[in-house]
Every structure is written in structure tokens, then in C-alpha cells.
Amino acid sequence: MTQTENKVVVFLGPPGAGKGTQAERLAAEQGLTKISTGDILRDHVKRDTELGQQVRPILDAGKLVPDDILLALIGDTLAGMQTVRVIFDGFPRTLPQAEGLDTLLEELGAPVNHVPLLEVPDELLIERIVERGRQAAARGESVRSDDTEPVARHRQEVYRVQTQPLIDHYAAGGNLYHVDGVGSMDEVYRRIVEGMK
Ligand code: ADP
């Protein structure tokens, strides 16, 4: 059965917390479209589009791509959706992005429903990212150019400064809940789903 009820999930958490993997499973099990801005931007870089050429140095440095670019991308993605069933992974990352998203969603009559915040201690985050790079290399896969230790550390810093204010924004909306991100994939997944009830 196709699901006809709007559902919007905004997944928050620092780089390396495991958002991508959990968002993927949630999308599959709840009939949601996963919108991962990191994946979209990396795809542009890979295809060497005009946007890709513009953002490549920003991604490589672990800095944030300008808000207007992100909002245009998300506006295009949401445009024309009859039913809005989406999970955002890696977006919004700044307060202007969150406010821009609120406006877009308001126009569609589909407000944010759930905001899980995945929490993992800082020292584990860098370890996970560096390990992810190591495993990809061992499998002969390409390693993300920003998964080196210094750039990963910079991404954590950017998260603390730019993205943490979003916690207050969504807490004020009453949709935010904290999820302990330490444990097995299944345990963490159960906590995320449990928090939606
Ligand atoms: P991670 O969460 O591990 O840092 P992502 O795949 O979410 O990885 O993002 C990778 C990079 O893509 C970021 O460091 C940034 O350069 C860019 N990016 C992704 N999403 C956004 C966004 N919402 N705003 C600005 N830049 C973004």
C-alpha cells in the first residue's frame, strides 16, 4: 500500500554518528525518501557538473557549502512531491537552512514531525570516521576525500559551531528527542523508532 500521510524527519547528529546508515533503514522501513545532501553534493563532484566544480574545494576542506545553494537543491527536490514523506540526513546544518526548510515545508503543508538527535561522544566520532576510511580502502573502494583525521576534526568543529544552534530551534518546536548513538546498529535503530511514539 502506498502511504499517503505526510511525514518529515530531520536527522541531527555530528559527522560520524551513523546518521546515514540509520536514515537508510528508516527510509526503507517507513516508506520515506532519504535526502542526504552530502551524497547529492558528492554525486555532483563525481559527475564534475558546474555545481560539483564549485563545491569540490569546500567539501575537501570540510567547510559548509553556502546556504542558498543548499536551499535551492532542497527546493528542487521537494517541488512536485504529492505526498511529502522524507528523511533529511545532513540537512539543515545552519539556522538559515532550518528556517528556509520551515518555509518550504509550510508551503507544502508538511511540517517537521520528528527530530532525532544522535549522540556519540567526541572521541568515538573521529575513530569511527578514520575506521570507515580504512575499511573502504581495504575493500578497494574509494575513500571520501574528507575522511582524513584533520578534516574530520574540522567537520566536528563546524558541527559544534554551526549546527548546534539547530538543537534549540527544533527543541522549541517540540519535536526533538535525544538518542544514545552508542551500541549496536539494531539497538540504536530501536531507540530511534521508539522515540517517534
Ligand atoms: P558528515 O556528516 O560525515 O560530515 P555529509 O555527507 O553529511 O558528511 O557532508 C559532507 C560535506 O558536504 C560537508 O562537510 C559539507 O562540505 C557538505 N554539506 C553537506 N550537507 C551540507 C549542508 N546542509 N550545508 C552545507 N554543506 C553541506
Side-chain angles (χ1 to χ4, degrees), residues 13-176:
K19 290 191 304 292
T21 316
Q22 298 290 351
E24 187 102 37
R25 179 161 173 195
L26 201 64
E29 293 191 7
Q30 302 204 353
L32 306 168
T33 301
K34 176 166 99 100
I35 302 177
S36 164
T37 46
D39 289 348
I40 296 171
L41 294 169
R42 275 189 293 277
D43 182 58
H44 275 275
V45 170
K46 199 164 135 207
R47 290 188 289 118
D48 204 28
T49 64
E50 203 175 310
L51 176 63
Q53 293 178 6
Q54 192 182 347
V55 302
R56 181 198 298 267
I58 305 177
L59 264 70
D60 284 351
K63 296 187 171 14
L64 291 186
V65 171
D67 292 335
D68 55 341
I69 294 183
L70 267 299
L71 283 167
L73 270 181
I74 298 297
D76 287 350
T77 307
L78 293 177
M81 280 192 181
Q82 300 298 318
T83 308
V84 185
R85 292 187 63 80
V86 293
I87 175 160
F88 291 102
D89 161 30
F91 176 89
R93 259 178 156 91
T94 64
L95 209 48
Q97 288 181 19
E99 287 164 357
L101 177 62
D102 286 346
T103 306
L104 286 169
L105 290 173
E106 203 174 305
E107 283 161 11
L108 293 165
V112 173
N113 300 105
H114 306 285
V115 186
L117 167 62
L118 206 49
E119 293 179 312
V120 174
D122 281 359
E123 60 274 17
L124 272 183
L125 293 171
I126 303 289
E127 222 172 89
R128 284 188 183 183
I129 289 177
V130 172
E131 185 56 28
R132 172 168 77 190
R134 224 178 266 140
Q135 288 188 0
R139 287 195 301 266
E141 294 166 12
S142 61
V143 177
R144 271 176 57 171
S145 56
D146 59 351
D147 272 357
T148 60
E149 190 170 334
V151 178
R153 285 197 190 282
H154 184 65
R155 280 154 53 209
Q156 306 298 338
E157 183 57 29
V158 169
Y159 175 79
R160 256 189 299 276
V161 175
Q162 310 259 35
T163 309
Q164 272 195 343
L166 298 194
I167 295 170
D168 297 334
H169 176 81
Y170 287 114
N175 301 315
L176 183 99

